[in-house]
Amino acid sequence: MVDNICIFEGIYYERLLPLVYFRPIYDLRCGILSIREKVAMSYPNIPISLHCRGYLAEYVRQKNPGYGVNELEGNSCLFINGRVLADLDFAKKIPPDGEDVL
């Protein structure tokens, strides 16, 4: 089981400009929820940290109290790209315990 989940912005965030000038890519809405919210709902008992561009870090800290921003904690971490389209079965497709997926 992983100790932490890190949602990060990949190097291709620029492909979604101008939508992501002032917010991290995982705060874009995909339906009623943001990508960050969908990932958090998929893994309710695992702490989540957020990784973003340096100039957005303070803003992300203010908007997301309780989340680590640009820092990793624990011994093992599951990295999830912020551009992922997480659905209701996301945790089954990418299990946090490292089991093989069928």
Side-chain angles (χ1 to χ4, degrees), residues 16-24 53 55-56:
L16 291 171
L17 291 175
L19 297 174
V20 295
Y21 272 129
F22 303 115
R23 75 183 83 180
R53 290 164 271 156
Y55 70 89
L56 290 175

Side-chain angles (χ1 to χ4, degrees), residues 1-9 26 35-51 66-82 84 86 90-92 94-98:
M1 187 76 138
V2 297
D3 296 334
N4 190 18
I5 292 176
C6 178
I7 306 173
F8 67 96
E9 290 190 293
Y26 44 77
I35 297 168
R36 176 187 47 81
E37 291 168 330
K38 287 182 178 190
V39 171
M41 285 177 52
S42 295
Y43 303 100
N45 299 322
I46 302 174
I48 294 178
S49 61
L50 305 172
H51 194 276
Y67 286 82
V69 177
N70 290 355
E71 57 190 44
L72 294 176
E73 297 178 9
N75 294 325
S76 61
C77 185
L78 174 63
F79 290 91
I80 298 177
N81 192 312
V84 70
F90 188 68
K92 291 179 183 174
I94 303 177
D97 55 7

